[in-house]
Amino acid sequence: MKKILAKEEIKEVIDILMDLYPDAKAELNFSNPFELLIATILSAQCTDVQVNKTTKGLFKDYKTPEDYLTLTDEELGEKIRSCGFYKTKSKNILSTCRLLIENFNGKIPDTLEELMTLPGVGRKTANVVLSNAFSKPAIAVDTHVFRVSNRIGLADSDNVLDTEKDLMENIDKKMWSKAHHLLIFHGRRICKARKPLCEKCPLTTYCFYFKDN
Ligand code: SF4
C-alpha cells in the first residue's frame, strides 16, 4: 500500500506552504509562451538565475522562431553557452523553432501531446508551459517536486510519472499549478536535497521522511 498522507492532511500541508510562500511562482522570466518554452529548455541542469541572465539579452534580440532560425547551431550555442549543455540545447531550440513553423504556424501549441512532439520538450517542460503560459491545470514534476512530495508523503513513487499521478490524485485540481511552485520553493529553501533543514520546517508533524529519520 502506498505511504501517502490522507487527503485532509495533504490539504493542510498545502495551506501551510501557502502561508510560508505567499509569493510562490515561476522564477524564470518570460513575457509570452514562446519565451517560456525557450527558457524552460535552457533550464535543464541549470539554475533559473543563470537562465534569466542569459535570456535577458537573448529575448531582446530574438522574439520569434524565425528570428532564431537566422542563427546557426554554433552561433546560438555561443549565446546560451553559460546555461550548460549548450550544443544540445542549441540544436533542440532550432529544431523546435523549425517544427513550430512547419506544424503549428509559428505558435506554441497548448496541449501536452503537441508540446511533447517538440525536440527538447519532455513531459516536465510541457507541463511547465501549460500551467505557466496557458494557466492550464498541470503539475510539472522536476527534481524538487519529486523529492519534496515523496519525502512529505504527498506521493509515494520512485519515478516522476507516478509521482505526477499521485499528486494529481491527491491534490485539488485547481491547486495543481500552485502546488508545483510551492514544492519547488520549499525544496530550494528548506527541504534541500542533501541536507533538509527540518529544524526550520513547519511540516514535521506530517512528514514521513522526518518521522522515519
Ligand atoms: S520535515 Fe524535513 S524532510 Fe520533511 S518536508 Fe520538512 S525539511 Fe523536508
Side-chain angles (χ1 to χ4, degrees):
M1 207 175 106
K2 288 207 174 205
K3 200 172 167 185
I4 293 182
L5 294 169
K7 282 206 176 162
E8 194 45 46
E9 292 174 306
I10 290 178
K11 195 176 167 303
E12 288 165 17
V13 165
I14 300 293
D15 286 346
I16 291 169
L17 290 175
M18 295 260 281
D19 285 344
L20 196 58
Y21 308 113
D23 301 325
K25 60 174 173 43
E27 294 187 283
L28 288 173
N29 294 336
F30 65 97
S31 61
N32 57 53
F34 180 60
E35 286 186 356
L36 178 61
L37 179 64
I38 300 294
T40 310
I41 292 175
L42 290 176
S43 73
Q45 311 287 327
C46 182
T47 64
D48 289 356
V49 172
Q50 185 57 53
V51 173
N52 289 339
K53 273 187 200 160
T54 303
T55 55
K56 198 171 177 193
L58 191 70
F59 289 168
K60 265 195 202 122
D61 297 334
Y62 302 92
K63 298 182 187 306
T64 64
E66 288 84 354
D67 291 342
Y68 282 84
L69 290 174
T70 62
L71 297 169
T72 63
D73 275 356
E74 291 72 26
E75 287 168 339
L76 179 57
E78 278 311 308
K79 292 179 187 300
I80 62 171
R81 196 183 182 106
S82 55
C83 293
F85 300 98
Y86 64 96
K87 289 184 183 167
T88 308
K89 289 177 183 176
S90 170
K91 272 199 179 64
N92 283 337
I93 288 173
L94 292 179
S95 303
T96 283
C97 288
R98 256 174 238 116
L99 272 184
L100 285 173
I101 292 168
E102 283 166 19
N103 298 347
F104 301 105
N105 224 358
K107 300 269 182 302
I108 306 295
D110 65 354
T111 68
L112 187 71
E113 295 70 26
E114 289 173 315
L115 281 164
M116 285 178 66
T117 64
L118 301 170
V121 179
R123 195 177 176 91
K124 186 203 80 176
T125 300
N127 276 328
V128 166
V129 173
L130 287 178
S131 71
N132 293 306
F134 295 113
S135 301
K136 293 198 169 189
I139 302 184
V141 178
D142 72 350
T143 180
H144 299 294
V145 174
F146 178 73
R147 180 182 71 256
V148 177
S149 59
N150 279 289
R151 276 180 178 168
I152 299 172
L154 309 181
D156 183 18
S157 168
D158 60 4
N159 66 77
V160 290
L161 187 58
D162 287 334
T163 296
E164 187 186 323
K165 282 186 194 155
D166 283 349
L167 292 173
M168 289 195 298
E169 204 176 305
N170 292 298
I171 295 174
D172 196 352
K173 193 170 185 174
K174 66 177 189 305
M175 291 302 295
W176 287 356
S177 298
K178 190 69 182 173
H180 158 82
H181 295 306
L182 292 170
L183 292 168
I184 291 178
F185 265 54
H186 198 52
R188 285 185 175 151
R189 289 155 181 78
I190 294 183
C191 193
K192 298 179 184 236
R194 279 207 272 165
K195 206 166 176 299
L197 307 174
C198 300
E199 67 280 4
K200 288 190 176 171
C201 182
L203 300 176
T204 49
T205 51
Y206 300 91
C207 179
F208 287 130
Y209 180 95
F210 180 79
K211 288 177 196 164
D212 292 347
N213 289 280

